[in-house]
């Protein structure tokens, strides 16, 4: 059993689905409360120990020293993925999910900032974050069978909101947009071939809108902050900007199936063009890419 949480309501999911959420005081650079930090880490380690006792495969990342920041980042990522599984299978009560996912996201962002500031093990950190994004993406875009009375749409939007909160850090946010835009292109290719009467068609249709909406959220919430970041990754910025342009081109082929895809992706491209115009003139974005955003 997961330890009980305080009865006070967690506001982590307030404003889920709203554009332009106000950033917390200090630009979100608040320090995680030490009591919650220690409590969360104890719970994450307890779950990892339970998995070992159940003889499940253990990642080599777990072989680090107990206090290693990278180990803590990996533990937190695994814990958050397990929580996201719980909202589909009812293994976690709603109040626990809100509270612990809030702590997990804050812990991941705090650990990531500490690691990046020390400029160490970047490749290993990239592997952890890419794995976290891929696993959460799979859960957001897959509705499991035999979900009983679980409202899967609410669960999917909850995972989308986790992505949105994780995107506060440029290191994660840009990788989320890259993964989502590539997934949009993949799904669009599948939709060209799938029978509209296939049972999987409605799910793919819903997933498309969830993914496009997520990109719009991230651009609206954080693109200005990312561009001012000292560790801004210009290379991945151009990569996901090109990927969004490719997604738009792929969705145009689907216009006869559903014209709304193009309407929504055009809105995303338009917002991106407005937000990155200053960066393009500062040399942070290839002008050829910027010109295509304006087309």
């Amino acid at each position: 059993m997961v330890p009980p949480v305080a009865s006070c309501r967690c506001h982590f999911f307030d404003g889920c689905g709203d554009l332009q959420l106000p950033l917390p005081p200090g630009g979100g650079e608040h320090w995680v409360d030490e009591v919650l930090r220690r409590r969360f880490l104890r719970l994450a380690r307890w779950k990892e120990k339970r998995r070992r006792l159940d003889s499940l495969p253990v990642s080599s990342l777990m072989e680090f020293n107990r206090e290693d920041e990278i180990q803590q980042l990996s533990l937190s990522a695994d814990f958050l993925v397990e929580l996201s599984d719980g909202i589909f299978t009812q293994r976690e009560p709603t109040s626990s999910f809100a509270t612990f996912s809030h702590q997990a996201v804050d812990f991941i962002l705090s650990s990531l900032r500490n690691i990046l500031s020390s400029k160490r093990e970047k490749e290993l950190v990239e592997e952890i974050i890419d794995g976290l994004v891929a696993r959460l993406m799979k859960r957001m875009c897959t509705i499991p069978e035999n979900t009983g009375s679980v409202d899967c749409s609410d669960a999917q939007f909850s995972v989308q909101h986790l992505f949105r909160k994780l995107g506060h850090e440029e290191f994660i946010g840009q990788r989320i947009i890259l993964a989502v835009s590539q997934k949009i292109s993949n799904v669009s290719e599948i939709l060209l071939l799938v029978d509209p009467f296939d049972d999987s068609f409605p799910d793919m249709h819903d997933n498309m809108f969830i993914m496009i909406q997520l990109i719009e959220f991230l651009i609206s919430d954080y693109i200005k902050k990312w561009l001012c970041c000292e560790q801004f990754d210009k290379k991945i910025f151009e990569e996901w900007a090109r990927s969004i342009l490719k997604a738009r081109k792929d969705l145009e082929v689907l216009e006869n199936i559903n014209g709304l895809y193009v309407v929504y992706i055009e809105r995303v491209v338009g917002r991106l063009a407005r937000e990155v115009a200053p960066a393009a003139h500062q040399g942070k974005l290839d002008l050829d890419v910027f010109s295509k955003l304006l087309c």
Side-chain angles (χ1 to χ4, degrees), residues 127-238:
E127 181 181 335
I128 295 172
I129 296 304
D130 288 344
L132 172 62
V133 171
R135 288 184 289 169
L136 287 179
M137 175 77 69
K138 182 177 180 181
R139 282 147 184 83
M140 186 181 74
C141 296
T142 303
I143 297 179
E145 298 179 358
N146 302 321
T147 53
S149 60
V150 178
D151 188 337
C152 288
S153 62
D154 288 346
Q156 287 179 294
F157 281 115
S158 293
V159 177
Q160 182 200 66
H161 195 65
L162 292 179
F163 272 130
R164 190 176 180 183
K165 292 293 186 179
L166 289 167
H168 184 272
E169 281 299 315
E170 174 266 343
F171 190 89
I172 304 179
Q174 292 209 91
R175 285 165 173 78
I176 293 173
I177 294 184
L178 177 60
V180 173
S181 56
Q182 290 174 343
K183 180 72 172 180
I184 289 174
S185 292
N186 293 338
V187 173
S188 65
E189 292 177 4
I190 296 173
L191 284 172
L192 275 176
L193 304 175
V194 72
D195 185 343
F197 296 100
D198 189 286
D199 292 339
S200 63
F201 185 85
D203 292 340
M204 288 190 288
H205 171 77
D206 292 340
N207 291 339
M208 186 69 80
F209 287 113
I210 289 174
M211 291 187 291
I212 296 174
Q213 185 184 51
L214 175 57
I215 293 179
E216 184 175 15
F217 280 151
L218 291 171
I219 291 173
S220 174
D221 291 344
Y222 302 125
I223 188 65
K224 290 181 179 178
K225 173 183 176 295
W226 293 346
L227 291 171
C228 296
C229 178
E230 292 182 1
Q231 299 175 334
F232 180 74
D233 191 333
K234 176 184 174 182
K235 182 179 179 181
I236 196 170
F237 177 37
E238 289 194 357

Side-chain angles (χ1 to χ4, degrees), residues 31-43 103 107:
W31 183 250
V32 181
D33 181 86
E34 193 60 31
V35 174
L36 290 177
R37 183 180 177 89
R38 290 197 301 266
R39 187 180 191 278
F40 167 76
L41 191 54
R42 283 199 304 270
L43 179 60
Q103 293 180 21
F107 198 96

Side-chain angles (χ1 to χ4, degrees), residues 7 31 41 51 89 116 119 178 197 219 237 249 252 256 265 275 282 284 293:
S7 59
W31 183 250
L41 191 54
R51 280 197 292 268
T89 59
L116 293 179
K119 298 181 180 179
L178 177 60
F197 296 100
I219 291 173
F237 177 37
K249 184 176 181 180
E252 287 174 352
N256 291 333
I265 196 67
E275 298 290 356
Q282 294 170 9
K284 292 184 178 179
L293 289 174

Side-chain angles (χ1 to χ4, degrees), residues 46-114:
W46 173 75
K47 286 207 169 190
E48 177 60 27
K49 183 178 180 181
R50 187 180 64 179
R51 280 197 292 268
R52 291 188 182 192
L53 292 175
D54 292 339
S55 299
L56 291 178
V58 179
S59 169
S60 60
L61 295 173
M62 296 298 103
E63 297 173 2
F64 285 92
N65 182 275
R66 282 174 60 85
E67 299 304 324
D68 192 284
E69 197 90 46
I70 295 179
Q71 179 207 12
Q72 294 179 6
L73 177 64
S74 180
L75 275 171
S76 304
D78 291 341
F79 184 82
L80 186 59
V81 172
E82 187 172 328
L83 281 174
S84 67
D85 285 338
I87 57 174
F88 287 103
T89 59
Q90 291 183 306
R91 291 196 301 265
E92 304 279 354
T94 303
S95 60
S96 293
F97 173 72
T99 301
F100 289 130
S101 60
H102 188 177
Q103 293 180 21
V105 168
D106 278 357
F107 198 96
I108 289 171
L109 297 180
S110 177
S111 298
L112 183 63
R113 282 194 292 269
N114 292 340

Side-chain angles (χ1 to χ4, degrees), residues 259-277:
L260 285 177
Y261 294 150
V262 178
V263 172
Y264 286 128
I265 196 67
E266 285 288 0
R267 187 170 70 180
V268 170
V269 171
R271 179 178 289 273
L272 177 61
R274 290 193 301 271
E275 298 290 356
V276 305

